[in-house]
Amino acid sequence: MTISAAQVKELRDLTGAGMMDCKAALNETNGDMEAAVDWLRKKGISKADKKAGRTAAEGLIGVDAGVREAAVVEVNSETDFVARNEQFQELVRNVAKVALAYGATEAVAGAKYPGSDKTVTETVKDAVGTIGENINFRRSAKLTVPHGAVATYVHNAVADGLGKLGVLVAIETTGNEHAANAFARQVAMHVAASNPVALSAEEVDPALVEREKAIFSDQARQSGKPEAIIEKMVEGRLRKFYEEVVLLKQAFVLNPDITVEKALKDAENEIGAPAKITAYLRYALGEGIEKETTDFAAEVAAAVKK
């Protein structure tokens, strides 16, 4: 099949590999982007461990917190200009308040918007007309604990509780809630920076683990070592993989000499009781949504020809 320049560029952006290597990888995998990433990794050309999420939609992430609970929402707009609009910010802030009460996306969408008889969905549709851009309430979620704290963190905040990246971290403990909240916020900052794929090794998607094992095995076999040695090499690589992607096993951003798990254990001295991170949520604006790109010069040229 014919491999386009756009495909080669996309693979290069994902992996940092050279143009010719990217073209060869796509030819070998019949244009399958994910398989091409794996092909480059097996050849030792790329160290990328996953596709980079594409930030496509504009808008805002909003968070709201109560007593031992917090919620996070994503509301999208077409342009970043609208995200700086006070009316849009108030909309996101109120949707976050609804999410604190109702949690999941579908429940929030059908719930009453604060100070109105209309639902959140209806209010968002009305905002399209007044703000002048397509606006979409995309998702929401909520974390709660019976004892302890749920902390929030917004990165690059444009206003209180509003920004491009929002994180919730729940800690269960019977100890001091203020101390628990303070540490949970530190972990939330860590999650924002490190983007773990799971809380514990047991929670990592088995399909992802199998994919990594297959890549590690292929790489190890290129060494020509016996199968028994290869197995140990793969086990070692897999341990390293967990250290990179599992929250509790990651090096703590605020103190890279210890893991998040060890930092939690140390924090128990301030909290005054055993503590456990039970869940986290990380919402990055537009992740997983592909943005349609346009060539402005081509649009102008086409308009002139009409």
Side-chain angles (χ1 to χ4, degrees), residues 213-234:
K213 284 175 70 175
I215 292 170
F216 296 156
S217 295
D218 282 347
Q219 290 175 337
R221 284 192 178 89
Q222 292 174 23
S223 68
K225 290 183 170 57
E227 199 64 29
I229 300 297
I230 289 173
E231 188 175 334
K232 291 186 180 298
M233 290 172 66
V234 171

Side-chain angles (χ1 to χ4, degrees), residues 295-306:
D295 186 332
F296 183 67
E299 284 184 0
V300 173
V304 170
K305 290 178 182 179
K306 289 182 179 179

